[in-house]
Amino acid sequence: MSVPPAEIVVHVCTTCRPAGGPDATEDRPGAILLRALEDALTARAAAGAPLPVRLEPVACLSVCKRPCTVAATAPDRWTYVWGDLDPATHVDEILDGLARYAASVDGIVPWRERPQIFKTGVVARIPPLPGDAPAAAE
């Protein structure tokens, strides 16, 4: 049985943008989502409810048809990629999903416990590297 991770790495595609979206990278929804997540994590920590999350901006997660996109991973856990995220409306839902991911045994949050955007926005679920890899359960 896995223990809660010391840290979840959340890769945020900062180049994500809808067709015809802004050219300036800092104005793209992916970059806006990164800033919104940073602010929300800081506020949670100040309120005494920190999450073990390290945000990592990435230039591309190659899910261009479903911007904004994030990927969450931790040792001995399944990795998830979610798309169709809206920085204006999904930040709290993303943090809720990440808290559930952190609290899970293997990174797999039961379907009925997932925030809605983690149900509708899932792009991929990737198994942990071989070794202590937990079996998939749904």
Side-chain angles (χ1 to χ4, degrees):
M1 178 178 279
S2 293
V3 296
E7 182 175 69
I8 298 166
V9 177
V10 178
H11 300 278
V12 181
C13 178
T14 57
T15 56
C16 278
R17 67 178 175 165
D23 286 331
T25 303
E26 65 274 4
D27 295 333
R28 293 182 183 180
I32 294 168
L33 178 62
L34 176 66
R35 291 191 303 270
L37 288 170
E38 289 169 339
D39 291 346
L41 285 168
T42 299
R44 281 182 67 108
L51 279 177
V53 171
R54 176 170 44 104
L55 296 173
E56 290 288 332
V58 294
C60 183
L61 287 173
S62 207
V63 189
C64 302
K65 293 185 187 256
R66 298 188 61 190
C68 294
T69 305
V70 301
T73 191
D76 299 324
R77 290 173 177 264
W78 286 74
T79 295
Y80 278 86
V81 180
W82 296 283
D84 302 318
L85 303 172
D86 183 338
T89 61
H90 290 143
V91 171
D92 289 338
E93 209 171 346
I94 292 167
L95 295 183
D96 178 41
L98 293 174
R100 292 170 188 267
Y101 178 86
S104 70
V105 172
D106 54 8
I108 298 175
V109 177
W111 185 259
R112 68 188 159 280
E113 295 176 20
R114 295 177 190 176
Q116 187 61 35
I117 195 61
F118 278 19
K119 292 177 183 177
T120 59
V122 71
V123 173
R125 180 175 80 175
I126 303 159
L129 292 172
D132 295 331
E138 209 36 53

